[in-house]
Amino acid sequence: MFADRSTKAGWIRGMLAGAAVLLGSTAAQAQTPVRFTLDWRWEGPAAPFAVALDKGYFKAEGLDVTIDPASGSREPISRVASGTYDMGFGDVNSLVRFRDENPGTDIKAVMMMYDRPPFAIIGRKSRGISKEVSSLQGKKFGAPAADGAYAQWPIFKAVNKIDDSSMRFENVGFPVREPMLAQGEVDAVFGFSMSSYINLKSRGVPADDIVVLPMSDYGVDLYGNAVIASEKFAKEKPEAVKGFLRALMKGVQDTVKDPASAVDAVIKRNDVAKKDVELERLKMVLEQNMITPWVKENGFGGIDKDRFAKALDQIGLTFNYKAKPKVEDVFTEEFLPAADQRKVN
């Protein structure tokens, strides 16, 4: 009798173990892979993505997300366009141009991350640069050809009525941009405000000698980086896109509530990063680009369609459209979480 009971108990335990393995296997199979590309290295501004990964928010949505760094805000667009990545984090203005130059490109922005773009001109007081646009006359600029900020110079020049015939623009590589300004080889550079400002400080340039002219303060009414997705991926796996954005939204909210903890998730992915530097960089992005007055009032991730339409007009100053897009051609809200889930303080 005892043997019979023991045999039955063993059989039951075996069945339960087998069921657990089967359920675990099924759950693993249910995880939808998502290949995602950042716009840059693992630095402070990437904290919401790292937080969503580390806290299991993507996994809870049934997603197996891999996130890779990149070399600039334009690169994610070509990566997603090639099919190498499903989604990415890139400059929406570059996306507009890429779509126009490559008809049939099936990429759209699905969540606006930077309500205000980080595009800026960064100079030094000791080199004669001030907050006045007139101080730019006759100066020498470090201007990487592939830089998203330099791409907006035609807009900045037009809205501020600048004659740039006396200015010199030197095509420099990203790695030497801030070093050249720190060494006085140029008077100012084009770049992302949080990157160039922090990089200059780290090279010993006194904070009170650094002058930042955010282009959005000078009539450049563009948006910045957005989450982008290939239309093919979005059509085939719309729930994956929705789940990704829900998870990322939680990462954004956690980052806003506790930037100091959030930045730790970045530091562990970047051996050379320093917490104080990346925390300052993250706080700059949150304050200047992400959590703007409009976002506080209307929620994170969406757009003002009238403003976006004006942005499309301004983008037309940087190149000649083959076919000017409509707002809905570039940005869609259909995958965003509900409005009450996108509130930030």
Side-chain angles (χ1 to χ4, degrees):
M1 181 70 73
F2 180 82
D4 288 344
R5 289 179 179 174
S6 177
T7 300
K8 287 181 179 178
W11 178 79
I12 291 172
R13 283 196 297 270
M15 288 289 289
L16 290 173
V21 171
L22 181 61
L23 287 172
S25 175
T26 301
Q29 290 175 2
Q31 294 281 312
T32 301
V34 180
R35 300 162 299 177
F36 189 90
T37 171
L38 292 174
D39 63 328
W40 194 239
R41 297 183 288 263
W42 282 108
E43 294 182 343
F49 300 98
V51 168
L53 271 178
D54 289 355
K55 291 195 173 183
Y57 294 151
F58 292 126
K59 189 165 290 186
E61 293 287 351
L63 306 176
D64 178 16
V65 176
T66 56
I67 301 181
D68 295 326
S71 300
S73 59
R74 295 182 178 186
E75 186 175 14
I77 299 166
S78 58
R79 283 181 168 185
V80 174
S82 70
T84 307
Y85 290 82
D86 305 304
M87 301 177 67
F89 178 51
D91 174 40
V92 74
N93 310 290
S94 298
L95 173 61
V96 171
R97 181 164 186 165
F98 187 91
R99 285 174 55 94
D100 190 75
E101 293 175 346
N102 299 272
T105 298
D106 62 344
I107 305 174
K108 283 190 178 181
V110 294
M111 174 182 270
M112 190 58 63
M113 295 292 289
Y114 291 172
D115 184 60
R116 295 177 77 227
F119 308 138
I121 297 171
I122 306 93
R124 297 179 61 181
K125 289 182 182 177
S126 58
R127 304 292 301 179
I129 302 296
S130 72
K131 288 284 189 178
E132 298 297 323
V133 172
S134 58
S135 71
L136 303 178
Q137 291 292 338
K139 298 298 190 294
K140 182 179 179 181
F141 299 83
D147 182 61
Y150 182 50
Q152 315 316 323
W153 174 248
I155 303 174
F156 189 95
K157 181 173 67 171
V159 297
N160 291 284
K161 298 179 173 57
I162 296 173
D163 177 1
D164 62 0
S165 59
S166 68
M167 303 177 186
R168 290 176 293 162
F169 301 89
E170 185 170 338
N171 181 12
V172 301
F174 289 119
V176 301
R177 173 176 50 190
E178 286 82 19
M180 289 181 69
L181 180 54
Q183 294 165 13
E185 295 179 35
V186 294
D187 304 307
V189 297
F190 290 85
F192 279 20
S193 55
M194 67 285 193
S195 295
S196 293
Y197 176 80
I198 297 294
N199 292 345
L200 285 170
K201 280 182 59 180
S202 70
R203 290 189 168 274
V205 178
D208 60 4
D209 190 37
I210 303 172
V211 181
V212 179
L213 284 72
M215 290 188 175
S216 57
D217 287 350
Y218 293 83
V220 178
D221 205 18
L222 304 180
Y223 281 89
N225 277 25
V227 175
I228 61 175
S230 77
E231 200 164 337
K232 180 177 183 293
F233 183 75
K235 285 181 178 179
E236 293 178 354
K237 300 177 181 178
E239 293 307 314
V241 178
K242 291 178 181 178
F244 185 98
L245 298 185
R246 281 194 298 268
L248 178 56
M249 189 67 242
K250 292 177 182 177
V252 170
Q253 290 166 332
D254 287 357
T255 299
V256 172
K257 290 177 183 175
D258 190 356
S261 295
V263 83
D264 287 334
V266 169
I267 298 300
K268 74 179 188 180
R269 292 175 166 86
N270 187 336
D271 294 338
V272 300
K274 297 179 180 179
K275 181 167 181 174
D276 59 336
V277 172
E278 296 313 322
L279 180 56
E280 183 177 11
R281 201 190 310 269
L282 172 58
K283 286 181 175 180
M284 284 182 66
V285 170
L286 290 174
E287 179 182 345
Q288 298 176 10
N289 310 116
M290 294 178 67
I291 314 303
T292 64
W294 188 91
V295 167
K296 290 179 180 178
E297 181 177 348
N298 298 279
F300 187 85
I303 60 169
D304 178 322
K305 293 182 179 179
D306 289 339
R307 179 186 156 199
F308 200 95
K310 181 180 178 181
L312 291 175
D313 290 339
Q314 288 196 339
I315 293 170
L317 297 173
T318 66
F319 75 103
N320 294 319
Y321 282 120
K322 295 176 183 175
K324 185 180 177 183
K326 299 177 181 178
V327 173
E328 57 269 26
D329 294 331
V330 181
F331 186 90
T332 178
E333 297 181 342
E334 66 178 298
F335 302 104
L336 286 175
D340 62 348
Q341 297 175 25
R342 294 187 283 114
K343 297 296 183 183
V344 290
N345 296 324

